Amino acid sequence: MRYAFTPEDEAFRQEVRDFYKKELPADWGQRGDQRQDGASRDLTKKVKKLLAERGWLCMAWPKEHGGLGAPISRQMIFAEESSLRRFPARDQGVSFLGPAIMSHGTPEQKERFLGPIARAEVSFHQGFSEADAGSDLASLTTRADHDGDFYVINGSKMWGGEIDTVDYSFLLVRTDQEAPKHRGISFLVIPAKTHGIKWEKLENLGGGTQNIVYYDNCRVPVQESLVGEENRGWYMATTALNLERTMVEHAVNGGLMVNDLFEHLRETGQLDGQSGARAVLRHKLAEMAVEIEVCRMLSYRIGWLQAEGLDLSYQASVIKIFGSEMNQRLSQVGMEVLGLYSQIDGKNRSKKHVLLQGRVDHNFRQAPGYTLMGGTSEIQRGLIASRGLGLPRS
């Protein structure tokens, strides 16, 4: 199947490009290290507000929840063009928490959260993974015990972003200690400034930062904090995880990297060389370009499935595996193209030795995490086997 966009879709694509050209600096996203300085964060917030005013952040959401009721194709185009400009338009609230609340939340919860998400008024920290419950997420031990009309939360989470810069923490907790591990889990959303929340900051391989978050006797109201039904939070979590795994950004980011590498070879006079080693690298880049196009088509297929209201449970795993492992292969090819210079990151003071703004080094260090976050490749293959092929669980 060949996916095609309508003339109206393409007109919208140009509108998004014109918007980013006007609102973002020409060099936005050109650094290999993540933009985490104060000025960049302030500009990100400002531009997100402008996007929200246009209704673009959640345009495929129903109008009653703050969206435009637009086709999924428009949402995909917006995601693609945002990624091409390396702008983080799809945060956790927009991309998967909001849709999960839309599917499982009460009318009061939808009114409380969906409008503010669409208006870029709130931000979130994700509290899923734990030190001993990453791939086997259902083995989490963070617990929320009843104390009258309140939960008392104790435990820890990691790898979910930076809780010190957001408004809310959404987390999975065990509310029934006797139930089988996939049951007895509840989904909570609590203020990030809740008394008893403590955190430590650590740098990740990609040059960004993450938090280890500790919930120490955090006392929160049950009625305000619980999203969906108590002890059925796993179903809400799988909705969120399926959406987290369906990233059109894999193909876009890969395409940007291949273009950068080809341009480097062209500028350095190596594109047409007869050297056997250089010919091998050119062939490897060509193979990656083909893989990127496959990844793009898989992403478009996810969009089509969403538009048709069809199941994403194992299809999301297909794109998750292909996209994350493709980016790992591409990062290795990038290191081979740049040679020893590929090990110099964008923060190095000797800028004359920094090639492609250090993005190859950044991608090489960040790529291993792609096959871990959102569920490891092993977990994804198991989901494809059981849900897609109907094979028995081992």
Side-chain angles (χ1 to χ4, degrees):
M1 180 182 291
R2 179 71 183 180
Y3 299 95
F5 294 103
T6 66
E8 292 78 12
D9 287 335
E10 295 299 346
F12 172 69
R13 185 188 299 277
Q14 187 59 52
E15 189 178 354
V16 177
R17 290 177 177 177
D18 292 342
F19 171 87
Y20 281 130
K21 184 177 181 179
K22 176 184 176 183
E23 301 298 340
L24 293 178
D27 67 341
W28 177 268
Q30 294 302 305
R31 286 170 19 194
D33 58 315
Q34 295 177 341
R35 285 180 171 265
Q36 295 187 330
D37 56 278
S40 296
R41 280 182 168 173
D42 290 343
L43 181 57
T44 296
K45 290 181 180 180
K46 175 187 173 183
V47 173
K48 277 190 175 181
K49 280 287 188 180
L50 294 174
L51 291 168
E53 289 173 5
R54 291 170 174 255
W56 287 357
L57 286 181
C58 306
M59 65 175 62
W61 290 12
K63 293 181 179 180
E64 62 266 28
H65 297 318
L68 298 178
I72 290 291
S73 60
R74 301 285 173 87
Q75 191 79 61
M76 291 192 67
I77 287 172
F78 174 68
E80 278 190 309
E81 295 302 319
S82 298
S83 296
L84 281 169
R85 285 307 308 268
R86 297 186 171 98
F87 185 78
R90 282 197 355 143
D91 58 25
Q92 293 172 329
V94 168
S95 57
F96 51 91
L97 176 62
I101 292 175
M102 205 179 304
S103 296
H104 300 279
T106 65
E108 293 77 17
Q109 290 163 348
K110 294 174 185 179
E111 182 176 358
R112 178 184 174 194
F113 287 110
L114 297 182
I117 289 173
R119 295 190 296 270
E121 294 175 351
V122 291
S123 53
F124 299 89
H125 158 266
Q126 180 184 16
F128 280 12
S129 293
E130 301 179 2
D132 296 318
S135 299
D136 187 13
L137 183 58
S139 295
L140 62 91
T141 59
T142 297
R143 59 191 292 163
D145 297 303
H146 276 279
D147 184 8
D149 293 331
F150 291 83
Y151 284 129
V152 179
I153 307 171
N154 284 283
S156 64
K157 301 289 183 177
M158 62 193 305
W159 310 124
E162 299 182 65
I163 198 170
D164 55 313
T165 63
V166 301
D167 302 300
Y168 290 93
S169 173
F170 65 92
L171 64 157
L172 293 175
V173 295
R174 190 162 296 283
T175 44
D176 185 341
Q177 311 306 318
E178 306 301 324
K181 66 179 185 178
H182 285 86
R183 303 175 186 176
I185 293 174
S186 297
F187 195 109
L188 308 184
V189 181
I190 66 175
K193 300 297 188 287
T194 298
H195 180 73
I197 290 181
K198 305 172 185 177
W199 52 270
E200 298 178 35
K201 184 169 288 191
L202 70 155
E203 185 173 347
N204 59 35
L205 277 173
T209 56
Q210 297 278 346
N211 288 163
I212 302 175
V213 181
Y214 304 97
Y215 302 85
D216 184 10
N217 288 317
C218 294
R219 187 177 173 86
V220 297
V222 173
Q223 185 172 359
E224 294 181 14
S225 306
L226 178 66
V227 179
E229 296 182 44
E230 186 174 86
N231 297 327
R232 293 181 63 83
W234 183 253
Y235 303 99
M236 184 164 177
T238 54
T239 299
L241 287 170
N242 282 338
L243 293 168
E244 182 182 6
R245 293 163 182 161
T246 57
M247 292 177 60
V248 70
E249 290 85 350
H250 280 311
V252 175
N253 294 337
L256 288 170
M257 181 63 69
V258 164
N259 289 340
D260 285 346
L261 293 169
F262 268 119
E263 188 60 30
H264 170 75
L265 291 177
R266 183 178 293 108
E267 290 178 353
T268 55
Q270 302 178 71
L271 195 58
D272 300 320
Q274 298 304 311
S275 163
R278 286 294 148 187
V280 168
L281 285 180
R282 291 198 300 272
H283 283 296
K284 286 185 177 181
L285 281 173
E287 288 175 359
M288 293 311 309
V290 172
E291 287 196 29
I292 289 164
E293 188 62 18
V294 171
C295 188
R296 192 186 316 278
M297 292 300 105
L298 288 173
S299 298
Y300 289 172
R301 175 172 170 76
I302 291 292
W304 175 78
L305 289 169
Q306 288 178 297
E308 296 295 316
L310 299 176
D311 181 36
L312 298 181
S313 59
Y314 74 92
Q315 301 282 1
S317 295
V318 172
I319 183 62
K320 168 67 167 58
I321 293 173
F322 191 89
S324 58
E325 294 185 356
M326 177 196 74
N327 267 298
Q328 289 183 351
R329 291 190 291 272
L330 176 57
S331 67
Q332 180 61 49
V333 174
M335 298 291 278
E336 294 177 28
V337 170
L338 298 190
L340 293 176
Y341 288 102
S342 63
Q343 301 178 41
I344 303 175
D345 68 32
K347 299 177 183 179
N348 193 287
R349 293 181 180 179
S350 181
K351 296 301 181 184
K352 67 178 181 179
H353 298 306
V354 177
L355 302 181
L356 304 184
Q357 292 78 43
R359 288 196 295 273
V360 171
D361 166 76
H362 168 72
N363 194 61
F364 184 79
R365 288 185 285 116
Q366 183 165 293
Y370 288 141
T371 51
L372 301 176
M373 64 180 75
T376 66
S377 291
E378 290 77 12
I379 293 292
Q380 305 310 315
R381 288 185 168 90
L383 291 172
I384 293 170
S386 60
R387 297 177 183 175
L389 301 176
L391 298 177
R393 294 179 179 272
S394 58

